[in-house]
Amino acid sequence: DQQVKQNSPSLSVQEGRISILNCDYTNSMFDYFLWYKKYPAEGPTFLISISSIKDKNEDGRFTVFLNKSAKHLSLHIVPSQPGDSAVYFCAAIRGSNYQLIWGAGTKLIIKP
Amino acid sequence: EAGVAQSPRYKIIEKRQSVAFWCNPISGHATLYWYQQILGQGPKLLIQFQNNGVVDDSQLPKDRFSAERLKGVDSTLKIQPAKLEDSAVYLCASSLGTSNNNEQFFGPGTRLTVL
């Protein structure tokens, strides 16, 4: 039962352009969503989050958009830089223990 | 500030053997998590501790997996006996507590290969 889905295993973007990573979810009870970034041989690191009561959150080059009616969120990176090449995971929080439910990840490749 | 430490970084064993992983969380973090990440999938929570008590172990295969967090600091995860499908990266994470604002910090993981 995949409650959080990232349907694109990989994405290739030219340096300087916008990268858009997508995530869909099925459980309308999720109340918080997060994006994590992971480099090879390292653990995931927190990037940005959004509460379910908001539709946008921005932090520097990173913006997350939430469309609750479509159960869809996206991460925008503008402009994309070579150091952004990594695997990006979408995750949702559920329950009083604030456990994370993860998508399968999207590998972003920034081309010079 | 030191991050979450894990050891070993890599382990190769044969099926039916035993293996143990160690995690040292960030100092002062009350909550500790063990995740299993199979290649091509997102991390799956195995067990969550709050101090030295278990909060949730519903997805831990208890016939072969065990975990403990003595004294509410370090934690060990054990697999006995290992199966081929246990090949994965085992991630440990810690957070100050359990709330939406308590970011989970991850260690580098232990890559387990079962032959």
Side-chain angles (χ1 to χ4, degrees):
Chain A
D1 176 24
Q2 269 192 294
Q3 299 187 60
V4 178
K5 298 179 184 178
Q6 293 178 258
N7 293 318
S8 298
S10 65
L11 175 67
S12 186
V13 174
Q14 202 73 38
E15 180 180 357
R17 306 292 290 268
I18 183 171
S19 295
I20 300 176
L21 297 108
N22 294 304
C23 178
D24 297 298
Y25 61 95
T26 57
N27 190 338
S28 58
M29 298 303 290
F30 289 140
D31 55 8
Y32 222 73
F33 300 91
L34 305 90
W35 285 94
Y36 276 78
K37 177 179 181 179
K38 185 182 183 305
Y39 292 118
E42 295 183 12
T45 55
F46 171 75
L47 188 59
I48 192 170
S49 64
I50 187 167
S51 165
S52 62
I53 63 173
K54 300 198 172 188
D55 53 20
K56 178 182 175 181
N57 188 27
E58 193 171 353
D59 183 3
R61 296 186 298 113
F62 303 91
T63 303
V64 57
F65 295 92
L66 176 61
N67 182 334
K68 286 188 288 296
S69 61
K71 294 192 178 68
H72 177 83
L73 66 156
S74 60
L75 174 68
H76 293 212
I77 307 173
V78 183
S80 300
Q81 298 175 353
D84 296 330
S85 294
V87 177
Y88 289 78
F89 290 96
C90 170
I93 286 181
R94 72 168 182 197
S96 57
N97 292 326
Y98 299 97
Q99 293 173 1
L100 293 174
I101 309 298
W102 298 74
T106 296
K107 183 176 184 178
L108 176 64
I109 301 165
I110 306 301
K111 299 180 292 185
Chain B
E1 179 182 274
V4 176
Q6 289 188 249
S7 68
R9 292 295 309 274
Y10 304 91
K11 189 74 177 178
I12 301 173
I13 61 172
E14 294 190 349
K15 60 183 179 183
R16 290 189 288 273
Q17 285 188 318
S18 302
V19 65
F21 313 127
W22 173 82
C23 173
N24 180 233
I26 293 173
S27 177
H29 279 195
T31 309
L32 185 146
Y33 312 79
W34 282 103
Y35 290 88
Q36 179 192 60
Q37 185 179 11
I38 292 172
L39 186 65
Q41 300 180 18
K44 182 185 86 170
L45 180 69
L46 292 175
I47 188 167
Q48 177 182 349
F49 292 95
Q50 180 76 14
N51 295 310
N52 61 349
V54 175
V55 173
D56 187 340
D57 63 358
S58 58
Q59 298 194 85
L60 187 73
K62 299 181 189 60
D63 57 333
R64 297 184 301 107
F65 286 64
S66 65
E68 60 183 11
R69 192 184 183 198
L70 300 176
K71 301 180 183 178
V73 182
D74 292 8
S75 177
T76 56
L77 176 69
K78 296 179 181 177
I79 308 175
Q80 180 179 11
K83 291 185 175 181
L84 296 176
E85 60 260 35
D86 298 332
S87 293
V89 175
Y90 291 85
L91 294 164
C92 178
S94 69
S95 65
L96 281 170
T98 52
S99 76
N100 284 336
N101 294 323
N102 286 158
E103 177 184 342
Q104 291 186 28
F105 294 84
F106 285 80
T110 297
R111 180 176 294 278
L112 173 67
T113 302
V114 182
L115 302 176

